Amino acid sequence: MTADLIAVVMLLAVAAYACAGGTDYGAGFWDLTAGGAERGKRPRWLIDHAMAPVWEVNNVWLIFIFVIMWTGFPTLFQTLFSAMWLPLALAAVGMVLRGAGFALRKPARRIAGRRLFGAVFAVASLLTPFFLGAAVGGVASGRVAPGTEPSADAWSNPTSIIFGLVAVAATAFLGAVFLAGDARRFEAPDLVGYFRLRALGALAVLAVLAVITLFVIYGDAPYVWHGLTHGLGLALVVVAAVATLATAWLLLRTPGAWSRVTAVGAVAAVIIAWGMAQRPYLLPTSLTVADGAGAPTTLRWLALVTLVALVLVGPAVVLLYWLDTHGELEPLTEADLRRNGTGGDGAADSV
């Protein structure tokens, strides 16, 4: 019972990272496709301002996933990081380069430096979700099992490739939806239409890839196919489809908070549907939740730590997102500093 609970918590953490971190990866995708320096100036300006307050905190979900997997399901951790060390290593390198590129491109004084760091940020934002999606595809296809030796087939098979493409499209979709809402918040009507159009385009691509995915997993991942077309997995697929249609309808009106909710709901429902489709297995047909779980005492302590983290960290993360979406975390500009320094209260002169 405890093992099942921890497995559900891990799945929910994966969904949280796919939505929160995926939104940032999507912003990087649109940074990459924004065009030249002049044409892409305003979209990149919005991306910088929208991401700056929250991009680091989204990695909390990834750390949480690793902690649960390592302590709660050590056999799963060992198997994944042995059989698919290369795509996971590439994804990790991409995360590091992406963060460094984003952090360094704004303070860089030379144009060449800004372009270099910007390119690193944008390209890494494309490659990282692809390799993470490819690793998930390797799991779903059943090619990874305890004792599996590292091989290209584990992560370059049809299911892995289509999952990687779906991951990129999903992050682009989330990023565009959130950026359209941010453009409205920053009172940039030209960028509202700019990102709304791209959100609808990404949604169309994602819908096509979803149909192709069903055909691919029918022949390449039969166990997951059966789970997605029956029971709880099918119900969640329907929820994802309804949320997707609702997002499209909201985007055709005025992008806002509800379009973000439905977009996140669509992506989260797909992630949870995948997890439900392969139950009771962590690795389809080879490693069940019960067989892969750690010692009962470890699981009980892990459940307690998870509860404490939910009580202590959860409200802080929610507050951060709320402050960001309500414009309470805007950075000071040079104009703000000059205005504050020459205010009528004489505070700056008295220092």
Side-chain angles (χ1 to χ4, degrees), residues 70-341:
W70 183 20
T71 57
F73 305 99
T75 303
L76 174 65
F77 187 91
Q78 179 185 11
T79 301
L80 288 182
F81 282 83
S82 296
M84 293 192 291
W85 69 269
L86 182 56
L88 293 176
L90 291 173
V93 170
M95 292 175 197
V96 174
L97 293 178
R98 177 179 174 275
F102 182 76
L104 294 175
R105 74 169 177 175
K106 191 171 183 179
R109 295 184 176 273
R110 296 184 178 181
I111 296 296
R114 292 180 183 176
R115 289 177 177 174
L116 174 62
F117 292 130
V120 169
F121 160 70
V123 173
S125 296
L126 174 66
L127 296 179
T128 300
F130 176 83
F131 286 119
L132 291 175
V136 171
V139 171
S141 69
R143 287 178 170 84
V144 179
T148 299
E149 294 294 328
S151 68
D153 182 62
W155 60 276
S156 61
N157 55 80
T159 301
S160 289
I161 292 173
I162 193 64
F163 271 41
L165 294 175
V166 167
V168 172
T171 59
F173 165 60
L174 285 172
V177 169
F178 272 72
L179 287 168
D182 286 324
R184 184 183 178 191
R185 175 162 59 92
F186 284 109
E187 299 181 352
D190 59 318
L191 293 179
V192 173
Y194 177 92
F195 283 110
R196 174 165 53 185
L197 180 62
R198 280 152 180 77
L200 290 170
L203 184 57
V205 171
L206 189 58
V208 172
L209 287 174
V211 174
I212 296 174
T213 300
L214 292 176
F215 283 100
V216 170
I217 65 174
Y218 175 76
D220 199 52
Y223 190 89
V224 170
W225 159 263
H226 182 271
L228 290 175
T229 54
H230 294 80
L232 184 56
L234 177 60
L236 287 165
V237 169
V238 172
V239 170
V242 172
T244 300
L245 292 174
T247 306
W249 181 74
L250 290 168
L251 286 172
L252 291 172
R253 296 166 63 84
T254 303
W258 282 111
S259 62
R260 293 181 171 188
V261 172
T262 55
V264 167
V267 174
V270 169
I271 298 294
I272 298 173
W274 157 63
M276 294 296 103
Q278 65 180 44
R279 61 178 181 160
Y281 291 101
L282 294 169
L283 299 172
T285 71
S286 64
L287 182 68
T288 65
V289 172
D291 292 338
T297 302
T298 300
L299 293 175
R300 286 194 291 270
W301 276 105
L302 186 57
L304 178 60
V305 170
T306 299
L307 180 61
V308 171
L310 183 64
V311 173
L312 297 181
V313 180
V317 173
V318 171
L319 176 61
L320 177 63
Y321 287 148
W322 186 91
L323 291 172
D324 178 48
T325 55
H326 287 75
E328 300 295 333
L329 300 177
E330 294 302 313
L332 290 175
T333 64
E334 293 184 8
D336 293 326
L337 295 174
R338 287 195 297 268
R339 182 167 58 251
N340 292 338

